[in-house]
């Protein structure tokens, strides 16, 4: 396993929050500015703890392998983490629906990794899963900080971030990437980092709903946007660039093909934007193969992520070629291989 270099990863892209922060309506601009300030503070803290060496969560002594070890904290609308412990593994549900949803989302992600890919937690060794809820005041985001996930209650634009299970799974999947391919968080490798989280976030949602690929909505964060927004989700893997088109948020900027790749210095080189390209390739593969997406398409992505052949600065082409090798190794040169070549070709990423 590569040495891990934890990064601070959020579900809502900074370009969305920047747009909101410039709104004339103070009910929109105020929370967005506070969210951006909180994110900036956490990024600084993340850099310091990475340099100093933050302790990792330990597996409880005597804990059974293949079982989740979840701990939920209430940040009580502050920004000191983790907060006050409110639920541990095996505790009965309490009155706080946000805590209960977060607990269930951690469990669903753990279960898919175990049953779908025979992986014991995000690190493969039973790593405890920690989440803090009720973070900040009207905090409009969710993030993975290298050790735990954090979820806000939302504001005028975003509902409670525990409502869509794929948001929870998306953030935990940043931990999966951290402990495997460990992509750097800039440019194409950063977009792969974000895309992998969208892929596994969608797979967890489909697993929870027992959906086949043709029945899934392939939306990331459906149900998160309030009625004030003209849009359906944060991102669409089926049709990147169509998730929202709103007077305040602007239009979803994600491309679906390399010919529309966005070159920008913002958002760490467009990591939340250009992730639409590998996202769409996965959607095309999964829907072409049909059935439960985690069983074949997801297995190829998982094998690629954990195979050890990718450098931390892998490009889209590097990743595509690695998926072809992974598909050939597991399934031979049958329909999975052919569907994969077709999917990458359709989005304009070479595999030869």
């Amino acid at each position: 396993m590569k040495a891990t270099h934890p990064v601070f990863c959020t579900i809502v892209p900074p370009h969305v929050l920047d747009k909101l922060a410039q709104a004339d309506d103070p009910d929109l601009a105020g929370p967005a500015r506070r969210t951006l300030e909180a994110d900036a503070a956490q990024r600084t803290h993340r850099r310091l703890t990475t340099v100093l060496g933050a302790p990792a969560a330990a597996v409880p002594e005597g804990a059974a392998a293949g079982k989740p070890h979840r701990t939920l904290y209430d940040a009580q609308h502050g920004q000191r983490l983790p907060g006050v412990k409110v639920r541990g593994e095996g505790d009965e549900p309490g009155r706080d629906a946000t805590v209960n949803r977060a607990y269930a989302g951690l469990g669903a992600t753990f279960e898919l990794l175990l049953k779908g890919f025979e992986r014991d937690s995000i690190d493969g060794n039973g790593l405890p899963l920690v989440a803090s809820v009720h973070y900040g005041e009207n905090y409009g985001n969710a993030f993975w900080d290298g050790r735990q996930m954090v979820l806000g209650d939302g504001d005028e634009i975003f509902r409670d971030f525990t409502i869509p299970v794929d948001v929870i799974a998306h953030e935990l999947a940043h931990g999966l990437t951290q402990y495997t391919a460990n992509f750097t968080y800039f440019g194409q490798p950063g977009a792969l980092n974000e895309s992998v989280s969208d892929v596994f976030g969608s797979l967890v949602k489909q697993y929870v709903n027992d959906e086949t690929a043709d029945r899934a909505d392939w939306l990331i964060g459906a149900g998160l946007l309030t009625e004030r927004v003209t849009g359906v989700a944060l991102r669409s893997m089926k049709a990147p660039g169509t998730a929202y088109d709103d007077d305040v948020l602007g239009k979803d900027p994600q491309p679906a093909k390399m010919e529309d790749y966005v070159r920008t210095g913002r958002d760490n080189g467009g990591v939340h934007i250009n992730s639409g390209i590998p996202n769409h390739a996965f959607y095309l593969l999964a829907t072409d193969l049909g059935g439960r997406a985690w069983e074949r398409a997801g297995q190829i992505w998982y094998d690629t992520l954990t195979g050890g052949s990718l450098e931390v600065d892998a490009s889209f082409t590097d990743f595509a070629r690695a998926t072809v090798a992974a598909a050939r190794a597991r399934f031979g040169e049958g329909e999975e291989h052919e569907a994969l070549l077709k999917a990458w070709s359709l989005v304009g990423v070479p595999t030869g």
Side-chain angles (χ1 to χ4, degrees), residues 2 113 119 122 173-183 192-193 196-197 200 298-310 319 322-323 326:
K2 298 181 177 72
L113 288 175
R119 186 176 186 85
I122 57 176
H174 280 302
L176 173 64
T177 296
Q178 177 183 318
Y179 285 100
T180 55
N182 199 28
F183 296 126
L192 287 170
N193 199 319
V196 164
S197 279
F200 282 90
Q299 189 67 61
I300 293 168
W301 252 239
Y302 178 80
D303 289 351
T304 302
L305 200 63
T306 59
S309 67
L310 291 166
F319 186 81
T323 63

Side-chain angles (χ1 to χ4, degrees), residues 71-87 130-135 148-150:
T71 308
L72 272 294
Y73 294 88
D74 185 345
Q76 299 181 319
H77 305 293
Q79 295 179 23
R80 294 190 64 179
L81 294 173
V84 177
K85 182 180 176 181
V86 288
R87 189 173 178 185
V130 178
S132 297
V133 299
H134 303 311
Y135 177 79
Q148 69 161 96
M149 62 180 308
V150 178

Side-chain angles (χ1 to χ4, degrees), residues 1 20 47 100 107 114 127 129 148 188-189 213 220 240 276 293 310 322:
M1 184 182 74
L20 285 169
R47 292 190 191 102
N100 297 336
L114 185 67
L127 186 77
L129 302 178
Q148 69 161 96
Q188 288 193 18
I220 303 300
L310 291 166

Side-chain angles (χ1 to χ4, degrees), residues 14-26:
H15 61 81
V16 170
L17 293 170
D18 287 340
K19 194 87 171 174
L20 285 169
Q22 296 168 24
D24 293 332
D25 186 341

